[in-house]
Amino acid sequence: MNLPTTEDRDPLSIGLSTKSDDDVLALLLLRQKQALDAVERAIPQISRAADALKRAAQADSKIGYSGAGSAGLTALSDCLELPGTFGFPPERMRMLYAGGAENLLHLAGTHEDDEAAGHHDFQKSGLGKGDILIGVSASGSTHYTLGTFQAAKAAGTETIGLANNPNTPLLELSDHPILLNTPAEIIAGSTRLGAASAQKAALNMISTLVALRLGHAVRGHMVNLVADNEKLKARAHRILQDLTGCTAEAAERNLEQAGGRVKTAALMILQNIDATRAEQILEEHSGNLRPFL
């Protein structure tokens, strides 16, 4: 029987019970590394997807993610992390997850078969023309995720699709398909292993490249963060000192006056201005601090 790669059995998985713990772990790691090779092969596709996401972000459009099961969790992670890491406005983020929030604990598989639910969740999301939807499905044929993409196509929403099998419906529906052609899993069908590692790496690359192009990441720092806990305040102080050469005391004082916003505090120090004026200038430059450094 010809099976999708994500469902096929890895020949090296035969006889695992006779191998030592170290040998099993080494094999698991090897397959994870090989899965990442698929990401390298997809760099041109990832680049085009990142450019589409950048355009949506610059246009203040909404950014949605969709998925089911472990692929949905990978999508959810990226959706939740973007606001905290790179300052994407949380009110513009949408997550379409098969079964909803109540399915996150037990991951009942029946929800991923519900294509109509995908249509319904898309309609509820408020995504439409000019927005963008990122869908993740290891098989590339998850009915729920396909439902969200069918509704997106009808609404004029741009789509980015990540799948680990070639010639699949999700990639065919996508405006920007990304094929992550990973090898068979050590545990056949357990796509939270290599396939998920490749998905996570690709999503990280997309969002990080977009953040760099938008000026949310400067000189290796996440300058668009809002310092609202002790760890982030300490990080923000280090960022300000590195970017402006100011003292620790000046970093602390200006960050407090800026309400924890690193970009605002940096511009206050660099231009010797107050927070209100710094915010105005950043607005005029689309939030990009780089021209002032």
Side-chain angles (χ1 to χ4, degrees), residues 273-284:
I273 54 179
D274 63 19
T276 301
R277 180 59 184 145
E279 290 284 348
Q280 291 172 346
I281 294 174
L282 285 170
E283 180 71 23
E284 292 165 3

Side-chain angles (χ1 to χ4, degrees), residues 75-194:
L76 174 63
S77 174
D78 208 56
C79 181
L80 293 176
E81 288 171 0
L82 287 187
T85 304
F86 294 128
F88 280 51
E91 65 273 12
R92 285 167 44 202
M93 307 298 294
R94 300 290 187 273
M95 183 66 218
L96 286 61
Y97 187 81
E102 60 271 21
N103 194 38
L104 290 174
L105 185 60
H106 300 295
L107 295 182
T110 54
H111 296 291
E112 70 178 57
D113 296 332
D114 196 341
E115 197 169 286
H119 280 267
H120 178 261
D121 287 355
F122 180 87
Q123 300 299 338
K124 284 176 52 182
S125 72
L127 293 167
K129 191 172 180 59
D131 297 326
I132 196 162
L133 177 64
I134 303 168
V136 185
S137 167
S139 68
S141 57
T142 305
H143 292 293
Y144 174 85
T145 312
L146 293 178
T148 67
F149 267 48
Q150 290 161 358
K153 190 176 186 67
T157 302
E158 201 168 1
T159 53
I160 297 171
L162 286 76
N164 298 85
N165 288 303
N167 305 316
T168 50
L170 184 70
L171 297 179
E172 292 170 2
L173 274 171
S174 300
D175 295 311
H176 306 284
I178 299 174
L179 170 60
L180 304 171
N181 201 1
T182 49
E185 304 286 1
I186 287 294
I187 307 299
S190 184
T191 53
R192 70 182 184 86
L193 300 175

